[in-house]
Amino acid sequence: MRTIRVIGIGAGNPEHVTVQAIRALNTVDVVFVLDKGGEKASLVALRHAICERYITERPYRFVEARDPERDRNPSDYGATVEAWHAARAILYEAMIEGELGPDECGAFLVWGDPALYDSTLRIIERIVARARVPFTYDVIPGISSVQALAASHRIALNRIGAPIHITTGRQIADGLPPDADTTVVMLDGHPRFDHLDPDLTIYWGAYLGTPDEIVLSGRLGDVAEAIGRTRTEARARHGWIMDTYLLRAP
């Protein structure tokens, strides 16, 4: 029976890879990687570096495929993501069927943690439901960008007894939830802060865990412009950006 391992590899620092993940990597015959284009080649390169560093007990091979394209600013976000997941499921299924032997183990290396704002598990579930290619699978957790952000800013995620709301930039376009104490925002492709309380404290970070890491914090009304300018410059310099931020009520 084929085996698939969905392995969280952390937010960018190879030392985020856990002992459990290293042990899982050393059972793998094939590492599946999606190519997202030249601008994000460094994300593929990091996966290669992690495997070269930690897989020491067996030979393995990389299988790469081009990630299906999707509209990043769709009029119907839900339908667009649904179609993208369906295309990915067909691609993953073909990779598993064509590149993984009947008794081999394959791995998808997931940025951050597979359970937090990542599509891999949903796509694996789609393939299982189709029942065309039989396999078993397990999940190895990883350090998320949320944890890396808090560590870089040397803060606790929550205040004593208070909740944390984790969401996306799309969900706060009309403001934060009522009575929000701490809000962590991910996947915000076009962050804007002019509709938010300027007295919020923001902790922002980009390229967390990598040598290119940038962190800024302060009263939102004082640092929002600097964050926007820094983000624009960094994106132009690298061709891509992944950032996360935490907003805390005064």
Side-chain angles (χ1 to χ4, degrees):
M1 176 70 79
R2 296 177 176 93
T3 301
I4 296 296
R5 317 205 79 169
V6 181
I7 303 175
I9 57 171
N13 185 340
E15 294 187 1
H16 286 174
V17 178
T18 66
V19 174
Q20 183 186 18
I22 292 170
R23 287 175 177 164
L25 285 169
N26 278 282
T27 67
V28 166
D29 300 293
V30 179
V31 178
F32 297 111
V33 177
L34 289 187
D35 177 7
K36 297 177 182 287
E39 290 181 345
K40 292 189 175 180
S42 59
L43 305 184
V44 175
L46 178 64
R47 287 170 168 84
H48 279 274
I50 285 172
C51 290
E52 290 171 5
R53 179 171 180 171
Y54 292 121
I55 301 179
T56 59
E57 299 176 11
R58 60 192 295 124
Y60 64 95
R61 61 190 184 277
F62 267 79
V63 172
E64 296 188 24
R66 182 73 177 187
D67 194 18
E69 296 291 337
R70 73 178 176 101
D71 186 354
R72 295 289 173 174
N73 298 287
S75 57
D76 188 335
Y77 179 78
T80 299
V81 172
E82 175 71 17
W84 180 51
H85 284 182
R88 269 192 166 188
I90 292 170
L91 176 61
Y92 283 21
E93 184 180 74
M95 293 167 73
I96 293 168
E97 183 177 31
E99 300 290 347
L100 197 63
D103 297 313
E104 288 189 318
C105 178
F108 291 93
L109 308 188
V110 174
W111 204 263
D113 182 272
L116 187 62
Y117 286 108
D118 183 82
S119 64
T120 305
L121 293 180
R122 292 185 180 88
I123 292 165
I124 294 294
E125 289 166 3
R126 281 175 177 263
I127 301 170
V128 171
R130 285 162 59 90
R132 287 190 62 257
V133 181
F135 59 87
T136 63
Y137 73 97
D138 59 12
V139 181
I140 311 300
I143 293 174
S144 71
S145 62
V146 178
Q147 295 160 282
L149 178 74
S152 289
H153 282 287
R154 299 177 295 176
I155 59 170
L157 280 173
N158 64 292
R159 290 197 277 209
I160 297 173
I164 306 169
H165 182 67
I166 301 177
T167 188
T168 67
R170 187 179 297 273
Q171 295 298 323
I172 66 163
D174 296 322
L176 299 180
D179 302 321
D181 183 79
T182 296
T183 304
V184 176
V185 184
M186 306 177 69
L187 304 179
D188 193 349
H190 303 283
R192 48 177 286 265
F193 306 117
D194 56 333
H195 63 306
L196 300 176
D197 181 354
D199 286 328
L200 290 165
T201 299
I202 185 169
Y203 299 91
W204 175 84
Y207 313 105
L208 291 161
T210 75
D212 298 312
E213 177 175 289
I214 311 168
V215 291
L216 292 169
S217 65
R219 178 180 173 272
L220 184 59
D222 297 332
V223 300
E225 184 177 338
I227 289 172
R229 183 173 61 252
T230 300
R231 190 181 191 280
T232 298
E233 292 170 352
R235 183 165 195 158
R237 186 165 58 252
H238 296 284
W240 62 278
I241 191 167
M242 287 197 298
D243 56 338
T244 304
Y245 56 92
L246 179 151
L247 297 167
R248 180 157 285 160

